[in-house]
Amino acid sequence: MKKGAVVVNTARGAVMDEEALVRALEKGQISSCGLDVYENEPSVHPGLVDNPKVMLLPHMGTWTEETQTGMELWTIGNVRCALEEGRLKSRVGEQRDLAYDS
């Protein structure tokens, strides 16, 4: 990464190696970061908690009535698809090896 880059992760905690991120912040390779998901939730690396160049937030970007309703409908559709077709409409990487019985 370019020296002085800013890292923002609002996707999945597992995509970040927090230990490596702490080292990169200490060396100045990364100038700052903002996270609302964490590698080992609910634990957060102490080197991130204590660093003034780090903004840590709870994962709450989906807390609107419209988003919550949409997520509920999507989940119901996913359950139906799993039960009726043996597959999911949306599968995350951690689920790629799961088998589904119809």
Side-chain angles (χ1 to χ4, degrees):
M1 234 180 257
K2 181 178 175 184
K3 186 172 177 71
V6 175
V7 171
V8 176
N9 183 18
T10 62
R12 298 219 179 276
V15 302
M16 298 296 302
D17 177 341
E18 288 181 2
E19 179 67 35
L21 180 58
V22 167
R23 286 194 309 269
L25 284 160
E26 289 170 351
K27 293 178 182 177
Q29 181 66 34
I30 301 296
S31 65
S32 63
C33 75
L35 308 172
D36 79 343
V37 290
Y38 308 98
E39 184 176 14
N40 297 302
E41 285 188 46
S43 299
V44 180
H45 192 292
L48 295 172
V49 173
D50 296 334
N51 192 319
K53 297 179 181 179
V54 176
M55 176 64 69
L56 303 172
L57 298 169
H59 189 66
M60 60 185 209
T62 61
W63 284 23
T64 66
E65 186 175 332
E66 297 83 3
T67 303
Q68 290 291 312
T69 299
M71 290 168 56
E72 289 170 7
L73 293 172
W74 186 267
T75 300
I76 291 166
N78 240 350
V79 170
R80 280 189 180 134
C81 198
L83 294 173
E84 294 170 1
E85 301 175 30
R87 64 177 186 83
L88 294 176
K89 296 188 320 182
S90 59
R91 186 181 294 199
V92 295
E94 293 88 352
Q95 297 171 321
R96 70 178 159 271
D97 296 326
L98 294 178
Y100 299 96
D101 295 326
S102 314

